[in-house]
Amino acid sequence: MRLAQEEQAMLAGEGGRAVQKAMQILLALGTIYGAERMLPVSSVQIAGVSYDNLGEAGLQFLSEMAEGGGKARVFTTLNPAGMDIENWETLGISPEFADKQQRVIDAFARMGIITTCTCTPYLVGNLPHYGEHIAWAESSAVCYANAVLGARTNREGGPSALAASLTGVTPDYGYHRDENRLPDIGVQVKAPLGENDEFGALGKVIGEKLRSMGKTVPYITGVAHASLENLKSFCASLATYGGLALFHMPGITPEASALQPPAEYISISPNDLDAAHRSMYDADPQEVDFVSLGCPHLSLAEIARIAQLLQGKRVTKEFWITTARPVKLMADRLGYTEVIEAAGAKFAADTCCVVAPIKGRFKAMATDSAKACYYAYAKNGFRTVLKPFDQVVQEALR
Ligand code: F3S
């Protein structure tokens, strides 16, 4: 790789130990993937924040980077942590875990990173625009950034995203380059779509089919309308089940109009969607003892809808509402929090049902998220009931 003078100086240790380590990480990555140069980034989002995933080795790495003088050079936010930073006791998190998690957050804060912990950074001000090069790590947000915003990012790991933050650059390969953003398969959707759970099922079908075909960038036709909430659900599912980080959808995503659909295509039928939906409904509804909405983190509009549905009612199950702290603050101001908490539901800001340490605590979870279904079982051992948003709220009241 050809490094600019400033990048060479960082590599030589002129910016301190942490910056040197960061540049070594990026240089190794760039060399592996055949990059010729570094690109400046305007935004970073770091994953690997929950102590449940990081463990002691991860905490030590972050502490060393903070002690080594690392400082964020660009706007940087974090992925969800393992607990609500302010309200962890209500969620049944142990003081020992809370102490470790707080030390992780403190290490990031010492590096000048904004400790807003969310997988929807684009809802809280970390909002790159079309064509910007960025370094994001959360898979659902990476897909949203590439496809919906038209920004350019690879799916970074925790260390490489941190390295981009501390140096302000990332290697020029993968989705930063025009040639890797071209569609390699057409997908004709011949099924009606409405709610997040249906977009999640669509993401599962497309993701699994493309993974088996070795395709990576679908050009998807037949979707007439998709809300922001539908798209965040779709992106999460596509990334989870197919490992995909980019798609094009004419009339909905910004790069589609300049591209030609590939000649090779597959079709998605209503039966395909039904089968995917049923595969994420493997619990007996009587077993459901946990309800969670907010994978990816909820928008303010979704929280308003929950408040409307819970007004004057009382939940009968543990019900987590997961969102970014700034969105929760808006919900506080608008009176939604009061209504929701009066009904007995719990806000779980900064965290989610997957990254919190709740393995084995519940039998079965109701959700509208295909991604949450995958990880709830794989990581926490819960069976799942996938339903439309309003019906998930009703499940908490049953
Ligand atoms: Fe976000 Fe957690 Fe889902 S990080 S995308 S809410 S698994």
Side-chain angles (χ1 to χ4, degrees), residues 355-374:
V355 297
I358 54 173
K359 185 173 181 171
R361 218 167 101 185
F362 304 103
K363 275 208 224 57
M365 179 179 82
T367 178
D368 73 337
S369 165
K371 175 174 180 177
C373 287
Y374 180 89

Side-chain angles (χ1 to χ4, degrees), residues 79-80 118-120 138 140 236 294-297 322 351-355 369 371-372 375:
N79 217 29
T118 183
C119 50
T120 55
E138 156 56 32
S140 66
C295 174
H297 273 173
T322 63
T351 188
C352 79
C353 63
V354 170
V355 297
S369 165
K371 175 174 180 177
Y375 284 106

Side-chain angles (χ1 to χ4, degrees), residues 275-314:
H277 208 285
R278 276 199 307 278
S279 72
M280 293 179 277
Y281 196 132
D282 66 352
D284 175 345
Q286 305 304 326
E287 274 186 330
V288 171
D289 52 357
F290 183 41
V291 177
S292 183
L293 282 171
C295 174
H297 273 173
L298 293 171
S299 68
L300 190 60
E302 289 175 312
I303 293 173
R305 180 69 184 148
I306 296 172
Q308 197 181 14
L309 293 167
L310 290 184
Q311 177 79 50
K313 305 206 171 104
R314 190 82 200 152

Side-chain angles (χ1 to χ4, degrees), residues 58-76:
L59 172 56
Q60 197 179 336
F61 170 74
L62 292 172
S63 303
E64 281 169 15
M65 293 300 269
E67 278 152 28
K71 285 279 176 242
R73 290 181 184 223
V74 294
F75 193 93
T76 305

Side-chain angles (χ1 to χ4, degrees), residues 22 26 41 44 73-74 76 135 156 159-170:
L26 297 177
V41 292
V44 173
R73 290 181 184 223
V74 294
T76 305
E156 301 295 341
S160 67
L162 176 62
S165 176
L166 302 187
T167 59
V169 296
T170 195

